[in-house]
Each structure stands twice: as structure tokens, then as C-alpha cells.
Amino acid sequence: MPDISIMHALCRAVSPAITDCELSFIDRESIDVALAQAQHRDYIAALGALGVRVTELPAEPVLPDSVFVEDSVLLFDELAVLTRPGAISRRAEVDAIAPVVQSVRSRVERITQPGTVDGGDVLCIGQHVFVGLSQRSNQAAIDQLTAVLKPFGYAVTAVPIRNCLHLKSAVTALSDDTVLINPEWVAAGYFDAYRQIRVAESEAHAANVVRIGAAILMPSCFPETRALVQAAGFAVSTVDVSELQKAEGAVTCCCVLFTG
């Protein structure tokens, strides 16, 4: 029997074509590919330092955004759900990761047309799954996900967002009862059941963090928000992902976490 207490992560190396990435809410800047690859290695090392067993998949030279593996699959304890990304250029990423997904979950479902959903829009806190209504994720996919997850006791809530790419750009979980949130990008009322820590006013993008057990991993460029999270009692590690942020990436999107 696998040890379900062990946290695993699927990651994919940075594509040499990352400079051709999709962008929606930020301006295009020059990306140093070698530095992005080095920062990604540091990111994987940071996950490992927090006890995560990482499987790194090879780079996909023709898929610029493929380092952002979170968008291609949702992994629950009971099953996996292959997504259908909102950007047409990213849909081939799903087929690229599918064989690995099938090796870690025996039951695999798939979002189908007309549904579109990116994993970055899906925030799971316990048995509650929040899904962002965004430029990348639509109600048709939310309806499909609701039907797939209902037999396993999950409740799904659609959450409109504004001025950002994904729901997890605006809010992530620090624990089962606490979220880190930018209320300028998502209505805080959707998360009234949780204690809310608001990002620092000068750090709009700081709400995206990775929760690993009781530890939090966040970008190093948000010191004010880091101080707020630490003051709330959380242990925080940081990593520099500045080049990946130029591709509209963040720390959650570079891994798919799962147990077992």
C-alpha cells in the first residue's frame, strides 16, 4: 500500500520556447531562458526541502507554457481530471501529461467540449472545490467537474474573478481554515467561511502560494505579504521565480501536488 502521507509533485522542465508563452494580463518582457531554467531547478529543490518527492518530466520544446503543469490536470485522492485549457495553444499539454497521470491515478476523467478549464482556476480546500470563472475557464467545465466530483462528496462553487489570469492568482489556501486573498481580484464574500489574510496593498500578485502540509512556499519578491503570513503563524519558505513570472506564471502552476 502506498504511504498516503507522502506528498508528491509532478513538474516539467522549462521549454526553450517559453518566450512564446501566452499572456493575458501582463505586458511581454524579455525572458532569460537559461535563468528561468535555473530558477525552476531552485523551485524543485525548494519543494524537495519541504519533503515533497518530485517527478520532473522532460521539457516540451514546442509547448511554450508546458512548465505550468498545474493547468493540464486536477489530481484528487480518488481520481484525476484531465483539463481542457482555455488557450487553444495549450491543449496539447494535456495529452503530453496524460500517460503520467494514468500511472498515479487508476480513474481518470476528462473535461470535454464546450468546457474549458485551467488548473490554475481550481482551488480545493478540503471537500470544497472553488473554480474561477475566468478568460480560461467556463461554466460548462464547472458543470462537468461538479458531476464528476459529486459521487466523492465534493462541493463545487463557481467564483467570478476580475483583472487576473486565474482564481489562484487571487486566492490560495494557507490551511484548511485560512486563505491568502487579494480582494481587488475576487470577492472576499465567497470565502467568508475562512479566516482571511489580505495581501499587502503594494503586492497585488502575492496571493499565489503553495501549501505543503503546515509549510508555505511563496515567491521571494513579496516581503510585505510574507511578513503578514508569518505573523499569522505560518512557516514560510521563498524562491525566486522572477523569470517565470514574466510568463504569467506563479508558484502553484509549476507543480501538481498529490499524495499516495
Side-chain angles (χ1 to χ4, degrees):
M1 290 289 290
D3 184 348
I4 62 172
S5 66
I6 297 174
M7 184 70 72
H8 298 262
L10 300 178
C11 296
R12 187 179 291 283
V14 176
S15 172
I18 192 173
T19 53
D20 296 322
C21 61
E22 292 276 349
L23 295 176
S24 297
F25 288 92
I26 64 173
D27 295 329
R28 193 170 297 276
E29 297 181 63
S30 177
I31 297 175
D32 184 326
V33 175
L35 180 55
Q37 292 167 336
Q39 290 180 350
H40 188 257
R41 289 192 292 271
D42 290 343
Y43 171 84
I44 288 176
L47 292 175
L50 293 172
V52 179
R53 295 185 181 178
V54 178
T55 298
E56 185 178 11
L57 307 175
E60 291 283 353
V62 298
L63 298 176
D65 292 281
S66 53
V67 64
F68 305 127
V69 289
E70 176 190 50
D71 290 322
S72 59
V73 61
L74 312 173
L75 281 177
F76 300 90
D77 290 343
E78 303 87 354
L79 78 163
V81 180
L82 294 171
T83 68
R84 186 169 181 264
I88 295 173
S89 68
R90 301 199 60 189
R91 291 181 186 164
E93 295 174 32
V94 178
D95 289 334
I97 204 170
V100 180
V101 171
Q102 291 163 351
S103 73
V104 299
R105 288 292 181 266
S106 58
R107 177 167 179 166
V108 180
E109 303 287 348
R110 191 164 190 151
I111 300 298
T112 59
Q113 189 176 3
T116 62
V117 64
D118 286 5
D121 272 319
V122 181
L123 173 61
C124 187
I125 309 177
Q127 293 292 106
H128 202 149
V129 181
F130 299 91
V131 186
L133 281 168
S134 69
Q135 288 188 1
R136 302 289 178 88
S137 302
N138 63 21
Q139 187 62 51
I142 294 172
D143 292 343
Q144 292 179 39
L145 190 59
T146 300
V148 165
L149 294 178
K150 185 177 180 180
F152 302 101
Y154 291 92
V156 178
T157 300
V159 181
I161 63 171
R162 54 187 179 270
N163 302 324
C164 63
L165 182 62
H166 289 136
L167 177 64
K168 281 188 281 195
S169 306
V171 58
T172 53
L174 296 173
S175 66
D176 283 345
D177 63 3
T178 306
V179 296
L180 180 63
I181 189 168
N182 178 348
E184 298 299 316
W185 290 353
V186 64
Y190 283 96
F191 301 93
D192 277 348
Y194 305 91
R195 176 173 64 144
Q196 298 182 11
I197 298 174
R198 298 190 173 195
V199 300
E201 289 187 8
S202 62
E203 297 175 348
H205 292 269
N208 185 277
V209 303
V210 176
R211 172 191 173 192
I212 301 168
I216 303 299
L217 178 64
M218 66 183 300
S220 57
C221 59
F222 303 124
E224 293 181 44
T225 301
R226 176 185 180 180
L228 293 171
V229 174
Q230 289 175 318
F234 294 93
V236 180
S237 298
T238 62
V239 62
D240 183 359
V241 289
S242 55
E243 294 304 300
L244 297 171
Q245 288 171 318
K246 293 178 183 178
E248 212 161 13
V251 287
T252 65
C253 56
C254 291
C255 72
V256 182
L257 291 170
F258 63 100
T259 57

